[in-house]
Amino acid sequence: DGGGHVPAVVIGTGYGAAVAALRLGEAGVETLMLEMGQQWDKPGADGRIFSGMLKPDERSSWFKKRTEAPLGSFLWLDLVNRDITPYAGVLDRVNYDQMSVYVGRGVGGGSLVNGGMAVTPKRSYFEEVLPQVDAAEMYDRYFPRANSTLRVNHIDTKWFEDTEWYKFARVSRDQAGKAGLGTTFVPNVYDWDYMRREAAGEVPKSALATEVIYGNNHGKMSLDKTYLAAALGTGKVTIRTLHKVKAIRRQNDGSYVLSVEETDAYGKTLAAKEISCGHLFLGAGSLGTTELLLRARETGALPDLSSEIGKGWGPNGNIMTARANHMWNPTGAKQSSIPALGIDDWNNPAAPVFAEIAPMPAGLETWVSLYLAITKNPERGTFVYDAAADRADLRWTRDQNAPAVAAAKSLFDRVNKANGTIYRYDLFGTRLKAFADDFCYHPLGGTVLGKATDLYGRVSGYENLYVTDGSLIPGSIGVNPFVTITALAERNVERVIQQDIKKK
Ligand code: FDA
């Protein structure tokens, strides 16, 4: 357990990592997954695994003294955030100078904290973003494979129309319709049938008990229940938790050596290990993978890495905004925390927007309609290595989000005009602000496919070194990204196993 050699290591346990581990395990390759977060399968003293959103405790956050919820205020009062003990909790907010990025920490990565929206991108936009990838192959084979292995399912639309839990979404749909905008149902990995039973009072509530960004205690098919369970089932895959990879270097025989720190859940160092492997897959996410490769290049450990590493980062055009409804148009005190509808205006050539209709599950009537808009913003950020702090800094300025705000504003100005409503200015921090342009949920890029790697995620300059996560996608994909991350990983790993591993 102090280190040693394994044929393959996968760093991280998010979408890309989970695909790599499952397919390596099926191919008979002994694979070790290293995850800096915890395994979330044991209930705490209160009998629950996760703390929930309304009274978050230390389980909610990754080493914070106070929780940092995206909607920290209501009527400018800091109502939802709480002081906590720094702990290896499930949601991290990585604060760069002018952009904060939310990411999941633990076995399952982002799947533990996300809204489960499982959207296959429009084919024309996929072709625009990744023109070198054979789209026919993706849409015929890898997107279907990702959707079925992730256990993506569809809401019963009759139930949707009847239930009080989606009144907020129906209200938003009607208001969008008045502005001439169409909506579409969004598939999910939350088990909709379980949710119906929650509503009927037959099973413990999760989506209907405001749980989502700090983990769902029930209902959600996160990766630990799908890909990772299957990976462990091959008998070839092992996961080590609270193991953070700090550095990567290469030995003369071509194998890779990882410097790994093992801690306890309160951050106390337990051991420093060196683990070597023949094939190394980076699945630490856009931030994690990019940082590891930048550090390796800039410290001289892997000097032949491409100058493209660190480039092509974007927040998938994420902008959050909210509207205030009239008193006679309530959105409901009961709201499912899992979104079911999106306003689809992506084909608008002036300002493409796909806006998910988000809940504001406060447990009381708020008259708020909340949205996470995904826009098409051509601006990109760059990671640079800060040697003194030994970390990657994100060069991204607030004004780079101006095109995204303008696109979201043009859509919601239409909705407000058609309904005689206005924006809410009090939800995103302590100053007047209608558009949250300083945080994102969808970090993409940093080691872009076909630039920092070849067309299958093989890192340029080195053999047997691969990127398998969201850092391959160049900053934008037009919809919520995890289905694309999963499908692309399926495609790449299949090729790598055939050509680089089985043939040897
Ligand atoms: P991901 O971030 O999932 O996994 C990386 C893993 O690597 C993490 O577990 C991390 O702890 C680990 N790691 C990092 N560095 C490491 C190191 N040095 N050593 C060891 N381990 C390390 N998307 C979507 O499609 N639909 C949705 O509804 C939502 N909703 C949503 C809500 C919220 C609150 C968030 C934060 C995000 C979403 N997303 C989403 C985004 C989605 O979750 C995200 O795009 C994917 O999780 C990214 O998958 P990756 O495989 O790239 O990495």
Side-chain angles (χ1 to χ4, degrees):
D1 219 35
H5 183 85
V6 276
V9 164
V10 177
I11 305 176
T13 55
Y15 292 91
V19 170
L22 171 59
R23 303 307 172 200
L24 285 164
E26 285 175 344
V29 182
E30 232 28 270
T31 301
L32 175 64
M33 302 187 85
L34 299 170
E35 168 56 53
M36 66 196 273
Q38 303 197 64
Q39 171 96 48
W40 291 94
D41 59 355
K42 283 171 225 59
D46 60 357
R48 300 188 307 163
I49 293 172
F50 298 108
S51 73
M53 231 147 65
L54 296 181
K55 289 184 187 154
D57 61 29
E58 64 185 25
R59 290 171 289 183
S60 67
S61 307
W62 182 257
F63 293 102
K64 303 280 181 192
K65 293 196 174 109
R66 188 169 174 78
T67 60
E68 296 178 15
L71 295 178
S73 66
F74 188 72
L75 297 169
W76 296 284
L77 298 171
D78 184 358
L79 287 180
V80 263
N81 286 315
R82 289 175 184 243
D83 292 334
I84 49 171
T85 306
Y87 180 75
V90 73
L91 182 68
D92 196 1
R93 173 170 165 140
V94 182
N95 296 313
Y96 297 105
D97 185 29
Q98 299 193 32
M99 172 59 78
S100 294
V101 184
Y102 284 96
V103 291
R105 301 275 181 229
V107 174
S111 77
L112 298 166
V113 298
N114 68 32
M117 278 170 282
V119 194
T120 300
K122 289 205 169 48
R123 180 161 168 170
S124 55
Y125 192 55
F126 179 87
E127 288 172 352
E128 187 180 322
V129 172
L130 290 167
Q132 329 90 309
V133 175
D134 181 348
E137 207 180 56
M138 287 296 295
Y139 282 78
D140 292 347
R141 192 185 306 166
Y142 301 109
F143 277 119
R145 185 180 297 175
N147 275 289
S148 76
T149 318
L150 289 166
R151 295 174 59 184
V152 174
N153 70 142
H154 298 261
I155 194 168
D156 176 337
T157 53
K158 187 175 175 313
W159 181 71
F160 171 87
E161 298 300 342
D162 292 342
T163 177
E164 58 188 334
W165 297 98
Y166 282 108
K167 183 180 170 66
F168 75 95
R170 296 192 301 268
V171 167
S172 267
R173 179 181 60 187
D174 294 348
Q175 294 170 335
K178 285 199 182 118
L181 293 158
T183 54
T184 177
F185 283 103
V186 177
N188 208 288
V189 295
Y190 197 94
D191 181 345
W192 295 110
D193 191 51
Y194 186 88
M195 199 190 295
R196 285 175 53 174
R197 289 190 283 140
E198 289 177 49
E202 294 165 14
V203 290
K205 288 189 173 61
S206 181
L208 305 191
T210 75
E211 292 181 353
V212 60
I213 61 168
Y214 298 138
N216 281 97
N217 281 302
H218 311 279
K220 188 157 77 177
M221 296 292 120
S222 45
L223 288 167
D224 47 327
K225 302 187 173 65
T226 58
Y227 270 96
L228 293 169
L232 293 174
T234 65
K236 294 284 179 186
V237 176
T238 311
I239 302 176
R240 291 220 185 110
T241 57
L242 294 167
H243 277 60
K244 181 172 184 177
V245 178
K246 309 280 273 189
I248 304 168
R249 63 177 201 273
R250 192 168 173 269
Q251 306 192 109
N252 288 338
D253 66 359
S255 61
Y256 292 94
V257 180
L258 307 178
S259 306
V260 182
E261 184 185 64
E262 182 183 4
T263 63
D264 71 11
Y266 289 93
K268 187 178 152 223
T269 304
L270 299 178
K273 303 179 180 180
E274 300 241 294
I275 297 171
S276 70
C277 62
H279 291 87
L280 177 57
F281 293 80
L282 286 94
S286 167
L287 310 184
T289 290
T290 307
E291 180 171 83
L292 283 168
L293 290 177
L294 258 188
R295 179 181 293 130
R297 189 184 70 200
E298 296 301 307
T299 58
L302 299 177
D304 296 334
L305 287 173
S306 157
S307 61
E308 286 288 335
I309 284 167
K311 295 186 183 163
W313 184 86
N316 201 24
N318 281 186
I319 298 291
M320 208 173 239
T321 190
R323 297 174 36 259
N325 290 302
H326 296 293
M327 294 297 274
W328 59 83
N329 217 355
T331 50
K334 292 185 167 180
Q335 302 195 8
S336 169
S337 64
I338 297 295
L341 279 184
I343 300 173
D344 188 355
D345 198 31
W346 196 259
N347 290 332
N348 176 346
V353 178
F354 180 78
E356 67 191 45
I357 297 173
M360 175 124 164
L364 58 138
E365 180 56 51
T366 64
W367 288 276
V368 171
S369 287
L370 185 68
Y371 307 90
L372 177 66
I374 297 171
T375 63
K376 184 178 170 184
N377 182 357
E379 292 286 332
R380 293 292 172 264
T382 302
F383 287 98
V384 291
Y385 181 62
D386 173 348
D390 186 29
R391 67 169 235 160
D393 269 340
L394 179 61
R395 295 277 156 86
W396 168 275
T397 56
R398 182 77 56 83
D399 57 354
Q400 286 183 276
N401 242 342
V405 170
K409 185 170 183 312
S410 77
L411 185 139
F412 290 106
D413 280 358
R414 279 169 70 188
V415 179
N416 278 332
K417 191 158 175 251
N419 293 279
T421 51
I422 58 167
Y423 291 102
R424 287 286 295 236
Y425 293 90
D426 58 322
L427 297 175
F428 308 115
T430 48
R431 279 179 292 162
L432 273 180
K433 204 169 161 62
F435 298 94
D437 59 354
D438 54 355
F439 70 81
C440 73
Y441 288 165
H442 300 165
L444 294 171
T447 62
V448 169
L449 189 85
K451 292 196 166 161
T453 73
D454 79 351
L455 292 179
Y456 292 88
R458 299 177 177 103
V459 178
S460 305
Y462 291 88
E463 283 194 344
N464 305 329
L465 183 62
Y466 311 92
V467 171
T468 184
D469 56 28
S471 54
L472 293 171
I473 297 171
S476 165
I477 195 64
V479 291
N480 316 64
F482 75 62
V483 171
T484 308
I485 295 170
T486 305
L488 193 63
E490 287 281 17
R491 165 193 178 269
N492 295 346
V493 167
E494 185 177 272
R495 169 70 65 110
V496 162
I497 288 174
Q498 269 164 18
Q499 292 192 340
D500 302 9
I501 296 180
K502 282 201 174 151
K503 292 235 165 90
K504 281 193 175 164

